[in-house]
Amino acid sequence: MKDAFSRWWDATSVAQTAHRGENAFSLIIKGLQSMLVMFGATIIVPLTLGMSPQITLFGMGIGTWIFLLLTKGKSPLTMGSSFAFMIGVLGVIDPVAGPLSHIYSHDERLQYALGGIIAAGAVYLIFSLIVKLIGADKFMRILPHAVTGPTVVLIGVTLAPHAVNQFATSWILGPLTLLIIIVVMVFGKGKIKAFPILIGLAGAYLVAVLMSVASTEGGAYYGLVNFAPIREADILGLPPFIPPRFALAPMLMLAPFALATVAENIADHVIVGAEMNEDLLRGKPGLSRTLFADGLQSMLVAAFGTPMNTTYSENVGLLIITKVFSSVVVAIGAGFAVLLGLSPAFAQVIHSIPVAIIGGASIMLYGMIASIGMRNVKEHVDLNIEKYLIIMSVMLVVGIGMRFGNIIRVEIADSVVRLDRMNLPIAILLGVILNAVLPNKYYGGKTGSTNG
């Protein structure tokens, strides 16, 4: 047992030793903070998809523990629900335009979406094997910043209509939520500044509760917040597990979205590794292992009903702000997520949040996703190189045009697949191909070095 632990433990790893000197209370508080920073964004995914936040939080914690175990505690990243995959799942569960007949219930369509997520996790495992064979450097050249930057922009832009539709359901709560978030981001001091989404959700929800309580029966805001399910729910109880189902069309629609989240995994490890002064992709744990761990944990938690889990940028931001690169802290935060996932009453509190509040928070979240993508391009891509300008032009027009243009259906092996709902992976694939075949030439014909 001691030898097994010594092989797992590495005294030179920052992630395994960053907690030294901290007392138990400090570690618990920091672990709670790591969960709370991600909480606001994490619950938006299940609420938008019509899933249980209880199962999502539970899967977030279990998935993080699995990831930490498989990466030997050397990568201090938290797993969370992917916004990129939310685009694909919305397409699968669409009762009118989705690939499944309207005779399927919402829950049945979710089950088939989970099957597609498991297929996407398998893509991670394939990529992990490829990295093992060709090395991390060659693999990362396939997904340069000129491809990953527009990808992130497309995620935010594609999700934008959902945020606006939710926001517009209440011209009080939607704008109020957005206003609170902006005020906290601009004027917040100290640790408060790290929780703008959570504070925005909580502040607007409190106003919604007051509006609901103050309204008499038949009034405009009566029942705005429904307390009955909260009172009736148990304090503790297992999440409502959902078994996956498998069909070719949902699997074909969702598996390619792994391209987007693999790029996110790489970017997150590059950023955190630089802050830790460790190369997490070429050294330990290594890109092959991080992709394997990310893919396997997503498959395992999807098997009991969790949306696609992947490395989470909110967690990366917190690590950079606090400089606490401790896998122990991350594991404690995952424990808090599991505990919340074991409370049906807490899940009902989340379900009682009016949709306009979710819309107000989503406007900022999705907008920040797109803005981060643009910043990535500005900082890392030389648009004087024709190749990169072409890649971005094609990706943005194809990604936006397919999603908001006409319906594009193709029949594959007796299954109908909506290509317009696969705008993101198709745009990424085109970017990868163009990056591979086009030369690096500056305007005027000068050959330049690769900086993407």
Side-chain angles (χ1 to χ4, degrees):
M1 181 66 71
K2 184 178 180 180
D3 289 340
F5 178 77
S6 63
R7 286 195 298 270
W8 190 86
W9 183 263
D10 183 356
T12 66
S13 168
V14 173
Q16 290 188 338
T17 58
H19 63 280
R20 285 180 177 172
E22 299 270 6
N23 58 48
F25 179 76
S26 175
L27 290 174
I28 291 171
I29 294 301
K30 289 178 178 178
L32 177 62
Q33 177 178 250
S34 76
M35 188 276 295
L36 289 176
V37 164
M38 297 177 57
F39 178 82
T42 298
I43 64 169
I44 285 176
V45 174
L47 291 178
T48 301
L49 298 177
M51 302 181 75
S52 169
Q54 190 182 355
I55 189 69
T56 303
L57 289 167
F58 184 80
M60 168 184 157
I62 297 296
T64 299
W65 283 343
I66 294 171
F67 181 82
L68 292 174
L69 180 65
L70 293 177
T71 58
K72 299 185 176 182
K74 294 178 173 64
S75 174
L77 297 183
T78 304
M79 301 296 106
S81 300
S82 167
F83 282 99
F85 267 86
M86 186 165 73
I87 297 170
V89 174
L90 284 168
V92 170
I93 66 176
D94 190 319
V96 177
L100 302 172
S101 169
H102 66 276
I103 63 173
Y104 291 101
S105 68
H106 176 77
D107 288 346
E108 288 172 331
R109 291 192 294 273
L110 280 175
Q111 288 180 283
Y112 284 108
L114 291 170
I117 289 171
I118 291 174
V123 173
Y124 269 80
L125 305 189
I126 295 171
F127 284 160
S128 172
L129 178 60
I130 293 173
V131 173
K132 197 78 172 176
L133 295 174
I134 70 173
D137 284 322
K138 288 184 178 179
F139 186 84
M140 286 191 289
R141 282 200 290 271
I142 297 172
L143 292 167
H145 290 291
V147 174
T148 58
T151 296
V152 178
V153 173
L154 286 171
I155 292 172
V157 170
T158 303
L159 288 170
H162 300 287
V164 173
N165 291 338
Q166 292 173 326
F167 180 91
T169 58
S170 170
W171 292 105
I172 295 176
L173 297 176
L176 175 64
T177 307
L178 183 59
L179 177 62
I180 294 173
I181 292 171
I182 292 172
V183 168
V184 173
M185 291 178 68
V186 175
F187 301 107
K189 303 294 183 182
K191 292 183 178 180
I192 289 178
K193 198 176 180 69
F195 303 99
I197 302 299
L198 186 62
I199 293 172
L201 290 170
Y205 182 70
L206 177 60
V207 172
V209 170
L210 294 175
M211 290 168 63
S212 186
V213 170
S215 182
T216 58
E217 187 170 355
Y221 304 112
Y222 182 77
L224 180 62
V225 178
N226 187 2
F227 301 102
I230 302 173
R231 290 193 296 266
E232 296 168 1
D234 295 328
I235 299 297
L236 293 176
L238 290 174
F241 297 123
I242 308 173
R245 294 186 181 187
F246 298 92
L248 183 61
M251 293 170 70
L252 289 174
M253 283 184 65
L254 289 177
F257 278 87
L259 284 169
T261 47
V262 162
E264 185 178 8
N265 179 296
I266 292 172
D268 288 343
H269 278 95
V270 167
I271 294 168
V272 173
E275 293 290 328
M276 295 168 61
N277 292 317
E278 289 187 4
D279 192 335
L280 300 177
L281 299 182
R282 298 174 184 85
K284 295 180 180 180
L287 179 57
S288 178
R289 185 176 287 272
T290 62
L291 291 179
F292 178 83
D294 201 340
L296 187 59
Q297 65 81 25
S298 68
M299 295 173 73
L300 293 175
V301 296
F304 56 74
T306 300
M308 181 71 178
N309 261 0
T310 188
T311 56
Y312 227 52
S313 297
E314 281 80 359
N315 171 240
V316 172
L318 177 67
L319 290 173
I320 292 171
I321 291 170
T322 63
K323 307 297 181 184
V324 182
F325 303 103
S326 170
S327 290
V328 172
V329 169
V330 171
I332 292 171
F336 280 110
V338 171
L339 288 175
L340 290 178
L342 292 172
S343 175
F346 181 77
Q348 290 301 327
V349 171
I350 301 302
H351 267 304
S352 70
I353 299 175
V355 69
I357 295 176
I358 302 301
S362 296
I363 282 181
M364 182 55 67
L365 277 172
Y366 303 161
M368 287 180 68
I369 290 172
S371 299
I372 288 169
M374 290 187 284
R375 186 179 67 186
N376 181 282
V377 171
K378 178 183 177 183
E379 293 177 352
H380 299 287
V381 182
D382 185 354
L383 292 181
N384 289 312
I385 298 179
E386 292 176 330
K387 167 181 176 176
Y388 298 141
L389 189 62
I390 291 169
I391 290 172
M392 290 188 56
S393 300
V394 171
M395 287 185 65
L396 291 173
V397 171
V398 170
I400 296 172
M402 284 184 65
R403 179 61 186 86
F404 301 110
N406 294 329
I407 294 174
I408 307 173
R409 290 189 174 94
V410 295
E411 190 170 326
I412 303 175
D414 297 327
S415 294
V416 177
V417 176
R418 285 279 303 275
L419 284 186
D420 53 294
R421 293 289 189 168
M422 297 173 62
N423 62 314
L424 187 60
I426 289 174
I428 296 170
L429 185 59
L430 288 173
V432 168
I433 293 171
L434 291 171
N435 179 66
V437 301
L438 294 178
N440 293 351
K441 287 188 177 181
Y442 283 89
Y443 288 113
K446 177 183 174 183
T447 300
S449 59
T450 302
N451 73 340

